Amino acid sequence: MSATVDQMKNAMKINDWVSLQESFDKINKQLEKVMRVTESDKVPTLYIKALVMLEDFLSQALANKDAKKKMSSSNAKALNSMKQKLKKNNKQYEDLINKYREHPESEEEGDEDEEMEEDEDSGSEFEEDPSKIAMRSDSEEDEEDGEDREDSAAEAGGGWEKKMSKKDKLMDKQFMKDPSEITWDTVNKKFKEIVAVRGRKGTGRIEQVEQLTFLTRVAKTPAQKLEILFSVVSAQFDVNPSLSGHMPINVWKKCVQNMLVILDILVQHSNILVDDVVEPEENETQKGADYKGTIRVWGNLVAFLERIDVEFFKSLQCIDPHTREYVERLRDEPLFLVLAQNVQDYLERVGDFKAASKVALRRVELIYYKPQEVYDAMKNLAEQTEDTENGESEAGEEPRVEESRGPPAFVVTPEVVPRKPTFPENSRTLMDILVSLIYNHGDERTKARAMLCDIYHHAILDEFSTARDLLLMSHLQDNVQHMDISTQILFNRAMAQLGLCAFRVGLIAEGHGCLSELYSGGRVKELLAQGVSQSRYHEKTPEQERIERRRQMPYHMHINLELLEGVHLICAMLLEVPNMAANTHDAKRKVISKTFRRLLEVSERQTFTGPPENVRDHVMAATRALSKGDFQKAFDVIKSLDFWKLLRNREDVLEMLRAKIKEEALRTYLFTYSLSYNTLSLDQLTKMFDLSETLTHSIISKMMVMEELHASWDQPTRCIVFHDVEHTRLQALSFQLTDKLTILAENNERAYEAKIGGGGLDLPLRRRDGQDYAGAASGGGKWQDNFSFSQGRQGGVRTGYGVGGRPLGPGSSAGTFSRDRGGQSRGTGGYSGGYQSTRYQDAAYGRTAYQTSSAVRGSQMDTSTRMVSLNRGVRA
């Protein structure tokens, strides 16, 4: 209003009645707004002064006939219009105008005081709004300005008290009464008014939070305080309206403290029930603490908790992970965990187990990726009482300032729920407790996510067999492509961790099986949500990029991509090098890893091969050494990689890797040079590859049994006698035709069986008698029976297809033999690494039923991609 009056004065100086008319309309609108906001009947003196000034100026203008004649038509029209408007308007303020004309000096002094107050109010509102500074974290300049303002305010206000705004004064005036005078109706009316303006343009978000917080202190009943607290938490969520930013950290901490107070009230007054389905009655919260019946209050604890978790997650996404601020933010994890633990305990106490399972999932998602050492560190942090108390004092600093004004809280809420989380000794125990609750009471999505978190956690604890069994039993890989994007990302992360676990425990084929799908498309970063991949062929829209950035994993949850790539390529090397040596004449027919072959071809095409620089160069250098049988050089090159320091049991893994390289070097040597020997001494091979006699004998015997090596033992001389077996072109083509006919016949049988519902056909022995591992595991009545996943069954009989609907290829049966194109007969039942008589099915591994170690090399690998594509979900 003051600014508008100044504009009117300027217009008077140049006799601009058009501007005066606009300013007059503007000041009338501002008067309405001021009267509505201040809820006062008294008209501001500034407005009366403006009316008197306009009246006098109008009289002068009308008296000056010559000036009126010289006016432009628009100005003269505005003058006549103002004459009528002012006359009509001033009638209602006639008494105040006359009073002002009698005593202008005293009124002007009061007016100046009011003007000063208004200026100070607007200044204080500008300074006391830290959220606006926090929300503009996108621009560093704004942050610096905000810090300068805060510093200057702190320096200037060392011995000064903060001047309250008009609204605060009004709140104090309204509620600084005797407690007996403040009624439930008074508080409820004010509460409804504040809630009604929520979300309107021009409503200060921080100011609204402060007003609601003040109302919690004057609430007359526990139910009313609870109702207002729910609105306080909702208003705190409104402080950050954008999807890209995050809630200011100090507001987040206050929000958690408010949730804990809500739980205190609910635990203390067990007759109060929180529900968001049934709308409570108008005067429900008027019932006091002595009321014994059920009091219903609208609210949703789970939704609020999930929003707090989302804001915590978003803050970790936005903060630079290489700063101290990120580490400080991570220290707030126990604060969220204690809230989640208390909410879960309360929900279990009231019997709402479905909601409790959702809260348990939030706790699982904060625990599942932590190794035992990190879990212990978090447990120790939570148990440090001094740090916790400091954190509480920081979070409660501002409320204490508010407590200095206004009456003491009418409804005192003691701290009933614990403020420190309790952790079992090891993370596995906590995970077991939480996931068992989810499996019993959760919905399908909650169960699926909990299962994937459980698999991930077992994998980081090197419990491969348990993690693998859980994955096969749950059949998650069948339907994961129909789940939401975040669950698909979690599935990819679990598969990556499962592959690393298999490698650490020495299961090379399984490790490669898990990781090969990730690397088949070359979009590992995107699949694991650890970065945004750029493609030359199709550009993403800004909206797609924003969506993708919002689903990125925080930095501390990342899986090291160098380690992942190194493990994948090492596994591929150990499988592919002997495979290429065994199929030198037809190497392209049987490819285990297309990614590895492609990299090897690129490496071989290079004219000059320099010293290795990255992970790929190191593995290619090791491959060249291994293909010549030089195991020591291959191991030294692999060992020189930097990522081994990331492994907990580094020495054991390197020792295992050395043994595997020696074994594969022996196999490669025999495949490559068998045609150059008539006989070969066992002692010579033992010395050459630094292996024990027993192990060397075992490896060579398996190769003979699998008919990969055409030779026999001469026991007296302890030598291998090689047989020169050369097949004619006709024989090789015959074997190839036999293989294709076998595949065709089995496919026909399966298609016919699926059509008629199964049962009566004379199926191969492996499908009639043996049941696959996944089928056997899923028969135990576990939670997966609740899933609506398709298991590929017709009429209760398995159709014989592998998971994902692919027919099993030849060589995948137990105890059967077939011949490859080169005429060598191969079998898959002689050595299956402890999985005899079972078929290891897993569509997530992307293969037909396969056995470990040597059996994998004898089986056909289905390399079709089953890894989840996130682009499809984005376009949809």
Side-chain angles (χ1 to χ4, degrees):
M1 283 178 76
S2 178
T4 311
V5 170
D6 290 339
Q7 287 173 7
M8 291 168 80
K9 285 178 183 175
N10 291 334
M12 285 176 189
K13 286 175 186 175
I14 58 172
N15 202 30
D16 184 359
W17 284 97
V18 176
S19 298
L20 269 173
Q21 190 179 3
E22 288 173 1
S23 298
F24 182 67
D25 293 337
K26 187 178 176 183
I27 203 169
N28 281 333
K29 287 179 183 175
Q30 287 173 337
L31 176 68
E32 287 176 22
K33 191 174 181 182
V34 166
M35 299 286 278
R36 189 175 66 248
V37 169
T38 57
E39 297 179 359
S40 172
D41 297 330
K42 186 185 175 188
V43 179
T45 316
L46 182 67
Y47 179 74
I48 301 299
K49 182 183 174 183
L51 292 180
V52 170
M53 186 173 65
L54 270 174
E55 204 173 58
D56 293 345
F57 185 67
L58 182 68
S59 302
Q60 288 174 16
L62 291 171
N64 192 348
K65 301 284 184 184
D66 295 334
K68 192 177 177 184
K69 285 177 184 177
K70 291 177 184 177
M71 280 185 190
S72 65
S73 60
S74 59
N75 216 18
K77 194 176 178 182
L79 172 62
N80 291 328
S81 178
M82 271 297 297
K83 180 182 171 183
Q84 293 168 4
K85 279 186 181 178
L86 198 63
K87 187 178 179 183
K88 185 180 178 183
N89 186 70
N90 285 10
K91 276 183 184 178
Q92 51 188 321
Y93 304 114
E94 201 168 344
D95 295 338
L96 291 169
I97 290 169
N98 292 335
K99 190 179 174 184
Y100 180 82
R101 286 188 185 280
E102 288 171 15
H103 305 285
E105 291 177 6
S106 60
E107 295 292 338
E108 279 177 17
E109 284 171 14
D111 180 43
E112 284 169 13
D113 292 343
E114 279 186 20
E115 280 183 42
M116 285 173 66
E117 276 182 20
E118 281 180 11
D119 293 342
E120 285 166 4
D121 288 345
S122 61
S124 65
E125 280 172 21
F126 183 68
E127 286 174 15
E128 73 183 12
D129 201 342
S131 70
K132 290 177 183 173
I133 298 164
M135 285 178 342
R136 290 183 309 215
S137 57
D138 303 338
S139 75
E140 294 172 6
E141 292 174 7
D142 286 354
E143 279 186 357
E144 286 168 12
D145 292 346
E147 285 168 17
D148 292 343
R149 270 201 299 274
E150 285 172 13
D151 293 342
S152 61
E155 286 169 11
W160 298 82
E161 288 184 5
K162 182 180 169 185
K163 193 163 179 70
M164 291 187 292
S165 67
K166 274 193 174 180
K167 283 191 180 180
D168 288 340
K169 280 184 179 178
L170 203 72
M171 294 283 281
D172 276 353
K173 185 180 174 184
Q174 197 166 354
F175 294 108
M176 279 295 285
K177 303 176 183 175
D178 189 286
S180 58
E181 294 178 21
I182 300 174
T183 62
W184 178 88
D185 289 317
T186 314
V187 178
N188 191 53
K189 182 187 173 189
K190 192 67 191 172
F191 170 62
K192 292 279 191 331
E193 285 175 12
I194 295 169
V195 170
V197 297
R198 177 184 170 193
R200 284 189 189 171
K201 190 178 179 182
T203 308
R205 295 188 180 94
I206 289 284
E207 194 178 277
Q208 196 172 39
V209 171
E210 287 174 357
Q211 288 178 8
L212 287 167
T213 306
F214 184 88
L215 280 184
T216 60
R217 302 181 45 68
V218 294
K220 297 296 288 181
T221 64
Q224 189 178 36
K225 183 172 183 178
L226 187 66
E227 184 181 30
I228 297 170
L229 273 169
F230 273 122
S231 291
V232 171
V233 175
S234 294
Q236 284 171 328
F237 289 146
D238 289 345
V239 168
N240 172 46
S242 69
L243 284 170
S244 54
H246 64 90
M247 186 191 290
I249 294 170
N250 62 327
V251 179
W252 185 87
K253 287 181 178 176
K254 285 182 202 169
C255 195
V256 173
Q257 296 300 331
N258 286 332
M259 286 291 289
L260 289 169
V261 174
I262 287 171
L263 288 169
D264 286 332
I265 296 171
L266 289 172
V267 171
Q268 191 181 359
H269 305 279
S270 56
N271 60 327
I272 300 178
L273 291 181
V274 175
D275 190 10
D276 65 339
V277 179
V278 182
E279 190 71 30
E281 294 177 12
E282 182 67 30
N283 299 331
E284 188 81 358
T285 57
Q286 196 170 359
K287 298 165 184 173
D290 52 350
Y291 183 77
K292 299 299 179 190
T294 302
I295 303 172
R296 293 189 176 278
V297 177
W298 191 93
N300 190 328
L301 287 172
V302 177
F304 281 3
L305 182 87
E306 287 178 340
R307 178 66 189 272
I308 289 171
D309 185 33
V310 166
E311 292 294 340
F312 179 70
F313 189 84
K314 277 162 65 178
S315 69
L316 290 169
Q317 284 178 320
C318 296
I319 298 169
D320 182 0
H322 305 293
T323 59
R324 179 73 188 164
E325 188 186 357
Y326 190 85
V327 179
E328 288 299 324
R329 186 62 175 138
L330 277 176
R331 291 170 73 89
D332 293 332
E333 256 188 359
L335 191 60
F336 174 77
L337 283 168
V338 71
L339 175 62
Q341 186 177 319
N342 288 327
V343 171
Q344 186 184 332
D345 291 345
Y346 171 75
L347 292 170
E348 287 178 11
R349 203 177 304 126
V350 298
D352 191 353
F353 288 101
K354 188 172 183 181
S357 67
K358 288 184 180 177
V359 179
L361 179 64
R362 293 287 170 172
R363 292 175 68 191
V364 164
E365 288 180 354
L366 276 181
I367 301 294
Y368 79 96
Y369 59 88
K370 290 181 170 67
Q372 186 60 42
E373 295 83 359
V374 179
Y375 176 83
D376 291 339
M378 186 181 70
K379 186 156 69 85
N380 294 335
L381 174 67
E383 287 170 357
Q384 288 171 1
T385 51
E386 291 177 5
D387 289 359
T388 312
E389 285 167 7
N390 291 339
E392 283 180 2
S393 67
E394 286 169 12
E397 197 173 327
E398 202 160 313
R400 279 189 196 134
V401 174
E402 287 175 6
E403 281 172 22
S404 63
R405 70 179 183 85
F410 295 169
V411 179
V412 180
T413 308
E415 291 187 1
V416 181
V417 296
R419 295 304 198 258
K420 263 191 351 182
T422 53
F423 293 107
E425 273 307 307
N426 59 64
S427 54
R428 190 61 251 163
T429 309
L430 179 59
M431 285 289 291
D432 286 338
I433 294 167
L434 294 174
V435 296
S436 59
L437 172 71
I438 295 168
Y439 294 158
N440 287 327
H441 303 286
D443 55 25
E444 287 187 16
R445 181 183 181 274
T446 309
K447 287 176 183 175
R449 288 188 71 84
M451 178 63 81
L452 289 169
C453 291
D454 205 14
I455 290 164
Y456 190 107
H457 195 260
H458 277 295
I460 60 174
L461 297 179
D462 288 345
E463 298 172 3
F464 174 76
S465 56
T466 312
R468 177 207 60 205
D469 294 352
L470 283 170
L471 183 67
L472 298 180
M473 178 189 73
S474 61
H475 293 281
L476 282 170
Q477 62 276 11
D478 290 3
N479 248 32
V480 71
Q481 66 269 23
H482 302 305
M483 296 182 185
D484 58 286
I485 302 288
S486 62
T487 307
Q488 293 175 9
I489 289 167
L490 183 56
F491 176 81
N492 295 342
R493 282 166 56 78
M495 289 304 300
Q497 202 59 253
L498 197 61
L500 292 176
C501 174
F503 176 77
R504 287 195 298 267
V505 297
L507 300 170
I508 303 300
E510 284 84 341
H512 177 263
C514 295
L515 298 177
S516 61
E517 300 293 347
L518 273 171
Y519 281 90
S520 59
R523 295 182 301 124
V524 185
K525 274 187 181 180
E526 191 180 342
L527 291 172
L528 296 176
Q530 292 182 192
V532 182
S533 61
Q534 300 294 333
S535 175
R536 289 181 299 175
Y537 305 108
H538 55 88
E539 288 185 3
K540 291 174 185 168
T541 63
E543 182 60 29
Q544 284 176 331
E545 280 191 13
R546 278 196 295 274
I547 291 168
E548 200 164 330
R549 288 190 191 284
R550 281 205 294 272
R551 65 168 78 105
Q552 296 298 299
M553 288 287 132
Y555 185 74
H556 70 286
M557 295 173 68
H558 283 194
I559 300 169
N560 188 280
L561 292 176
E562 271 198 5
L563 174 64
L564 205 61
E565 184 183 30
V567 167
H568 167 245
L569 291 177
I570 290 166
C571 290
M573 176 188 77
L574 292 173
L575 296 174
E576 272 289 12
V577 171
N579 178 47
M580 288 189 297
N583 298 281
T584 49
H585 302 299
D586 193 9
K588 288 186 180 177
R589 177 177 177 259
K590 209 173 99 178
V591 178
I592 294 172
S593 173
K594 286 182 179 176
T595 311
F596 180 82
R597 287 285 183 97
R598 194 163 52 246
L599 290 172
L600 190 60
E601 284 171 13
V602 170
S603 173
E604 286 172 349
R605 279 201 301 268
Q606 289 177 351
T607 311
F608 172 73
T609 307
E613 293 176 1
N614 53 26
V615 174
R616 292 180 180 184
D617 291 348
H618 278 80
V619 177
M620 291 304 111
T623 303
R624 286 191 291 271
L626 187 60
S627 58
K628 295 173 187 172
D630 190 350
F631 71 88
Q632 189 58 51
K633 185 180 177 184
F635 176 71
D636 290 341
V637 171
I638 295 293
K639 189 181 177 182
S640 65
L641 285 163
D642 292 333
F643 57 69
W644 297 116
K645 63 187 177 188
L646 301 173
L647 297 179
R648 190 168 55 245
N649 48 349
R650 177 189 171 202
E651 296 304 323
D652 296 340
V653 171
L654 286 174
E655 193 56 43
M656 175 276 297
L657 187 58
R658 181 182 168 84
K660 292 286 180 187
I661 287 175
K662 287 194 285 189
E663 290 175 24
E664 299 309 326
L666 170 61
R667 287 167 45 78
T668 307
Y669 184 82
L670 288 173
F671 281 134
T672 308
Y673 299 111
S674 59
L675 295 175
S676 306
Y677 289 96
N678 287 324
T679 59
L680 190 57
S681 167
L682 177 63
D683 296 333
Q684 185 183 346
L685 287 174
T686 305
K687 288 174 187 174
M688 193 183 293
F689 294 100
D690 192 21
L691 292 167
S692 65
E693 282 190 10
T694 314
L695 184 59
T696 309
H697 192 282
S698 170
I699 292 168
I700 296 168
S701 298
K702 282 170 191 168
M703 290 173 73
M704 292 175 183
V705 169
M706 304 291 287
E707 295 199 16
E708 294 173 336
L709 188 66
H710 299 284
S712 58
W713 283 109
D714 185 28
Q715 296 294 346
T717 58
R718 297 177 46 159
C719 287
I720 307 165
V721 179
F722 292 96
H723 308 308
D724 189 14
V725 180
E726 281 290 332
H727 293 290
T728 63
R729 172 79 174 155
L730 180 61
Q731 285 175 318
L733 289 171
S734 301
F735 290 137
Q736 190 178 339
L737 179 63
T738 308
D739 278 351
K740 289 185 177 179
L741 287 172
T742 308
I743 295 169
L744 186 62
E746 287 197 359
N747 283 348
N748 276 341
E749 286 175 358
R750 290 193 188 97
Y752 188 63
E753 183 189 17
K755 188 176 179 182
I756 65 170
L761 294 175
D762 184 19
L763 298 176
L765 181 68
R766 63 179 177 277
R767 292 197 289 120
R768 193 172 63 244
D769 297 337
Q771 200 175 23
D772 63 38
Y773 182 86
S778 64
K782 299 287 183 186
W783 68 267
Q784 75 277 4
D785 293 339
N786 297 331
F787 277 74
S788 59
F789 293 161
S790 163
Q791 305 298 333
R793 298 170 189 272
Q794 292 280 348
V797 180
R798 290 194 69 84
T799 62
Y801 279 70
V803 177
R806 296 189 192 88
L808 305 177
S812 62
S813 61
T816 60
F817 291 86
S818 62
R819 293 180 179 274
D820 60 16
R821 189 180 293 176
Q824 294 183 344
S825 125
R826 56 179 163 70
T828 59
Y831 174 59
S832 61
Y835 304 122
Q836 282 106 355
S837 78
T838 65
R839 282 183 292 132
Y840 186 177
Q841 281 189 329
D842 185 0
Y845 289 4
R847 268 153 308 286
T848 55
Y850 72 83
Q851 286 76 30
T852 60
S853 192
S854 308
V856 177
R857 302 177 190 95
S859 65
Q860 286 189 331
M861 307 293 278
D862 179 1
T863 55
S864 59
T865 302
R866 289 274 307 210
M867 188 52 61
V868 175
S869 171
L870 300 188
N871 267 344
R872 184 176 65 247
V874 170
R875 284 197 295 273

